[in-house]
Amino acid sequence: MTSSPIPSSKMSALSVQQLTKVYKGGFQALKGIDLEVEEGDFFALLGPNGAGKSTFIGILASLVNKTAGRVTVFGEDQDREPERVKSCIGLVPQEFNFNLFLPVVEVVVNQAGYYGIPRREARLRAERYLKLLDLWDRRDTEMRKLSGGLKRRLMIARALVHEPRLLILDEPTAGVDIEIRRSMWGFLRELNARGTTIILTTHYLEEAESLCRNIAIINHGEIAELTSVTSLLNRLHTETFVLNLKGRISELPQLGGFVLQHLDDCTLEVEMSREHTINGLFEALSRNGIEVISLRNKQNRLERLFLDMVERRGGAARPESEEAA
Amino acid sequence: MSRHGVGWRRYWISFQTIFLKEIVRFSRIWVQTILPSVITTTLYFVIFGRLIGERIGTMGGLDYLDFIVPGLVLMGVITNAYSNVVSSFYSSKFSRYIEELLVSPAPNWVILAGYVAGGVARGLVVGTAVMLVAMAFTEVRVHSLAVTMLMFTMTAVLFALGGFINAIYANSFDDISIVPTFVLTPLTYLGGVFYSIDLLPGFWQGVSLANPVLYMVNAFRYGLLGVSDIPVGIAFAIIAVFIVVLGAFSLELLRRGVGIKT
C-alpha cells in the first residue's frame, strides 16, 4: 500500500506525472511514475539494481530522453522551460564523469561557465566549494591523480557551483570510506538545513534512515512505496537488538514478551515486539541480575523493511547493466 | 531573465567557456596537434615544390610551388578543424564528461558553436603556421585578404561541423579515424591541391566538380594568387549551403540526443 509523505503547504520542488521510459528493444524502465517532492525535503529514492532509479534521475537531469510523462521543477515545466529547469538542478552522478587531464579547480570553474557564471565569480565560487569539501589544497592536481573518495567530493562541489535549489545525488557515497561518508553526511545535512532540497539514491539504507525525511521505494519501474521514513519505520512489528553483557551467563532467563538467544557467553540477541520498550527490557534483565554494557540493532531497520517489500513484490529487478541495453 | 543573468550574456559565457576549454586542450598538446601538420607541409614543399616541382615547371600559368601553396594551407585547415572537434567531442562522450554540458542550461546551438569555434581556432592556427612556412619557400603574397580570410574560416567551419557529426555517430576511437582516412584524404588529394582540373579529361572534370574541396581550394587560391578554375562566387555559395545543411543536421542530432542520450 502506497501512502503519501507528510502533507505540507510548502512549494513543490519536483513534480513528476506518469513518467514513462521504454528503451530501444522494448524494455520498460519506468511505468508511469507519479512523485512529488516538496521544497526543503531530504528525499530518499531506494530500489534494487535495475529498478529504474538511474533512469529516473537521468530524465530529471536531461541525460535520458523520456518516453512520456511530465516533469516540473519548482513549477517550471521541463519540456517548455528546459534551461530554467536545468538551472535549478545540481547533479552528482553515480559514475565519475570528468576530463581526467584537467586540474580540479578547472573542472569546477568550467562547470560554472557552462551555467553562464562569469569567470571571476566562477573562480570565487570554486574556491568556496572546494574549501567546503576539503579539496582546496588539491586544486591544481589533475583529476586522474585523485582517489575515489576525493573524486566523489569533487562531484558534489561541481554540482553546487551554480548553487542549485534541488540537488540530486545518485549513490554519492558508493565506495568511500566511513570517515569520508560521515563527513559527506554532515555536509549534506547542513546544505539541506540552509534550504537546498535534496534527492538521494543510495544502497546504504542506513544513509537514507539517517539523512532523509521522506522516501520512495522504486521497484520494476514503479513506485512501490512513497511515505515518510518515520511512518515506514513504524511499520516494523519487531526489532532485534544485540546486547553486550557485563558478566557471563550460562543459562537464558525467561522474559515475558522478549525472545532471547545466546550468541556467546557475554552476548545476547533479543527480539522484542513494538508493544514493549527498551526500559522494560532493561528492567526484566536487571531482575535476573544481568547487566548490559552496550546494545545495537542487529540489522538496519530500513533494510529489513526494504527486503520484505521487494520480496513481497516479486524479488529483485534485472541488473542495472541490462537496463540500457 | 534566468537565475544566472540575462539569456544572451549567459549564452556568451557558456560559449566562451567551451571555446576556451578547447583552445587550452589543443595548446597543451601542441606537439600532437599543431606541429605534425607544419612538419608534413614543410615536407610537401621540399619534395613536391623544390625537388619535383622544378621539373614540372608551371601549372595554371603559375610556378608549381606557388600553385600548391593554397591547397596545402587548406589541407592543414581541413584536417585540423575536423580532427579537433571529432577527437575532443568523442573523448567527452567516451569519458562521459559531455554530461557536464548536457545537464547545464547551455542550449544545443551554444554547445555546437563552442566546439566548432574550437575546431576553427585550431584550423586557423595551423593554417597560419603553414602559410608562414609557405612564405619562406615561395614569393606568394595575399591577393585578396577578404576572400582569403572568408574561405579560410568557412572551410574550417564546414569541416569542424563534419568532425562533430562524425563524433556524434562514433562508437569507438576507430570510428573517428575512418572518415579522415577514407573520405577526407581522397577528397583533398582529388580536390585540385596539386593540379589544375584543366589537365583532366572532360568526364573527370565533371566528376571533380562534385567535390566540395575543389571549390574551397580554388576560392582560396584566388584569395592568395588571384587565379581560380571556378568562379569564386559559386564556390562561396556552395560552401555556404554545405555549412547550413551540416549545421542544421548537427543541431537536429543534438536535439534528438543521438549518441549522447539514451
Side-chain angles (χ1 to χ4, degrees):
Chain A
M1 177 86 178
T2 298
S3 56
S4 296
I6 303 162
S8 157
S9 57
K10 284 185 179 172
M11 182 186 188
S12 168
L14 172 70
S15 175
V16 170
Q17 289 153 20
Q18 287 301 301
L19 192 63
T20 304
K21 175 65 184 177
V22 182
Y23 283 103
K24 281 179 192 167
F27 175 63
Q28 192 167 7
L30 298 178
K31 300 170 181 169
I33 281 184
D34 293 311
L35 185 69
E36 294 280 336
V37 177
E38 69 181 27
E39 187 177 17
D41 201 355
F42 206 137
F43 192 93
L45 193 61
L46 303 183
N49 285 340
K53 303 185 300 294
S54 291
T55 298
F56 180 77
I57 282 178
I59 291 172
L60 300 187
S62 308
L63 295 174
V64 174
N65 290 326
K66 65 177 187 275
T67 305
R70 187 167 182 239
V71 175
T72 52
V73 177
F74 293 103
E76 304 281 4
D77 187 293
Q78 190 186 41
D79 293 330
R80 289 186 199 151
E81 296 288 349
E83 291 173 29
R84 284 177 183 270
V85 166
K86 286 175 172 184
S87 292
C88 291
I89 296 177
L91 174 71
V92 179
Q94 192 178 129
E95 292 181 32
F96 299 131
N97 59 349
F98 299 111
N99 181 343
L100 294 174
F101 298 98
L102 282 187
V104 166
V105 70
E106 287 305 310
V107 169
V108 184
V109 168
N110 281 348
Q111 189 68 21
Y114 301 150
Y115 280 82
I117 298 165
R119 202 127 186 114
R120 181 192 292 260
E121 170 68 14
R123 291 209 169 272
L124 290 172
R125 289 196 193 188
E127 181 177 345
R128 186 189 317 153
Y129 287 103
L130 289 177
K131 281 180 176 169
L132 273 172
L133 285 145
D134 292 330
L135 286 164
W136 184 241
D137 291 344
R138 310 284 189 120
R139 62 188 175 280
D140 296 322
T141 307
E142 277 189 10
M143 289 302 309
R144 61 196 167 129
K145 294 175 183 162
L146 289 188
S147 67
L150 294 180
K151 282 181 186 153
R152 293 250 166 240
R153 294 212 303 246
L154 180 61
M155 290 210 288
I156 296 179
R158 183 181 62 178
L160 290 175
V161 74
H162 65 286
E163 298 177 345
R165 296 167 72 189
L166 171 62
L167 181 66
I168 301 171
L169 303 110
D170 195 0
E171 302 197 19
T173 56
V176 304
D177 63 39
I178 292 171
E179 192 184 350
I180 293 180
R181 189 184 306 166
R182 296 277 168 182
S183 78
M184 281 166 71
W185 286 8
F187 181 80
L188 293 174
R189 274 197 198 98
E190 276 180 35
L191 198 67
N192 179 244
R194 288 202 300 269
T196 306
T197 308
I198 298 178
I199 297 176
L200 172 89
T201 78
T202 179
H203 273 129
Y204 301 113
L205 298 168
E206 179 198 3
E207 192 162 82
E209 186 177 344
S210 168
L211 293 173
C212 301
R213 281 188 286 282
N214 291 304
I215 192 167
I217 294 176
I218 185 167
N219 196 19
H220 294 298
E222 294 171 306
I223 299 284
E225 191 69 46
L226 176 60
T227 185
S228 70
V229 171
T230 314
S231 97
L232 192 63
L233 291 175
N234 282 340
R235 284 192 223 160
L236 277 171
H237 298 298
T238 62
E239 277 201 75
T240 307
F241 295 99
V242 176
L243 310 180
N244 292 318
L245 309 179
K246 192 171 182 184
R248 292 168 181 271
I249 57 164
S250 51
E251 218 171 284
L252 285 176
Q254 293 296 317
L255 307 180
F258 302 101
V259 180
L260 274 63
Q261 199 183 333
H262 234 149
L263 295 184
D264 60 45
D265 285 351
C266 297
T267 315
L268 273 185
E269 184 179 298
V270 181
E271 187 179 325
M272 55 187 275
S273 67
R274 292 193 67 86
E275 293 90 60
H276 292 87
T277 63
I278 296 273
N279 288 348
L281 171 65
F282 284 157
E283 281 170 19
L285 289 169
S286 293
R287 280 198 300 273
N288 285 274
I290 300 171
E291 290 184 80
V292 179
I293 299 170
S294 63
L295 91 164
R296 63 181 166 84
N297 270 98
K298 184 186 178 191
Q299 186 183 29
N300 176 274
R301 298 178 301 165
L302 206 52
E303 190 172 302
R304 185 161 159 185
L305 272 171
F306 175 75
L307 289 173
D308 285 351
M309 202 168 292
V310 169
E311 277 164 18
R312 270 205 318 273
R313 288 165 198 263
R318 302 189 337 171
E320 199 86 32
S321 57
E322 288 179 31
E323 188 171 284
Chain B
M1 192 76 173
S2 75
R3 290 189 69 224
H4 297 113
V6 178
W8 284 104
R9 181 167 151 71
R10 183 162 56 78
Y11 297 156
W12 174 243
I13 293 169
S14 304
F15 168 79
Q16 273 184 320
T17 306
I18 302 167
F19 180 56
L20 194 64
K21 173 180 72 82
E22 289 301 295
I23 302 273
V24 169
R25 191 191 77 86
F26 75 70
S27 304
R28 203 182 56 232
I29 49 172
W30 65 275
V31 176
Q32 296 169 45
T33 53
I34 310 293
L35 200 57
S37 290
V38 177
I39 292 173
T40 308
T41 321
T42 307
L43 289 171
Y44 275 124
F45 281 127
V46 171
I47 295 165
F48 290 100
R50 285 265 178 262
L51 302 181
I52 300 174
E54 282 175 6
R55 292 164 187 260
I56 295 172
T58 59
M59 178 76 65
L62 297 164
D63 184 74
Y64 186 65
L65 190 55
D66 292 348
F67 181 84
I68 64 171
V69 166
L72 291 180
V73 172
L74 223 51
M75 269 175 66
V77 174
I78 288 170
T79 311
N80 283 278
Y82 193 94
S83 305
N84 197 70
V85 182
V86 75
S87 59
S88 178
F89 195 79
Y90 181 71
S91 296
S92 75
K93 260 176 60 171
F94 181 78
S95 300
R96 299 183 61 169
Y97 56 87
I98 187 62
E99 291 176 1
E100 293 177 336
L101 268 168
L102 298 180
V103 300
S104 81
N108 290 336
W109 64 267
V110 169
I111 296 174
L112 180 64
Y115 273 96
V116 168
V120 169
R122 178 166 149 194
L124 296 187
V125 167
V126 170
T128 305
V130 172
M131 190 67 207
L132 292 173
V133 172
M135 285 175 154
F137 280 89
T138 67
E139 297 296 317
V140 169
R141 296 294 177 265
V142 177
H143 170 75
S144 165
L145 186 63
V147 171
T148 304
M149 289 313 296
L150 196 56
M151 190 43 67
F152 214 61
T153 309
M154 287 175 75
T155 302
V157 168
L158 178 58
F159 283 92
L161 285 168
F164 189 85
I165 294 167
N166 188 174
I168 288 267
Y169 282 111
N171 289 316
S172 70
F173 279 99
D174 289 339
D175 292 345
I176 68 175
S177 63
I178 287 174
V179 174
T181 307
F182 294 103
V183 181
L184 278 190
T185 305
L187 280 181
T188 315
Y189 279 80
L190 298 172
V193 173
F194 297 104
Y195 56 86
S196 165
I197 59 165
D198 289 344
L199 298 180
L200 299 173
F203 173 77
W204 290 107
Q205 279 190 30
V207 171
S208 294
L209 291 174
N211 180 358
V213 177
L214 181 80
Y215 298 88
M216 297 173 205
V217 169
N218 274 281
F220 195 62
R221 186 172 287 136
Y222 177 82
L224 285 182
L225 306 171
V227 295
S228 170
D229 289 342
I230 289 159
V232 174
I234 291 176
F236 275 111
I238 287 174
I239 304 308
V241 168
F242 270 105
I243 288 175
V244 170
V245 170
L246 292 195
F249 186 55
S250 301
L251 286 174
E252 176 60 13
L253 292 176
L254 278 173
R255 190 190 66 76
R256 283 161 42 200
V258 174
I260 50 177
K261 293 185 184 179
T262 50

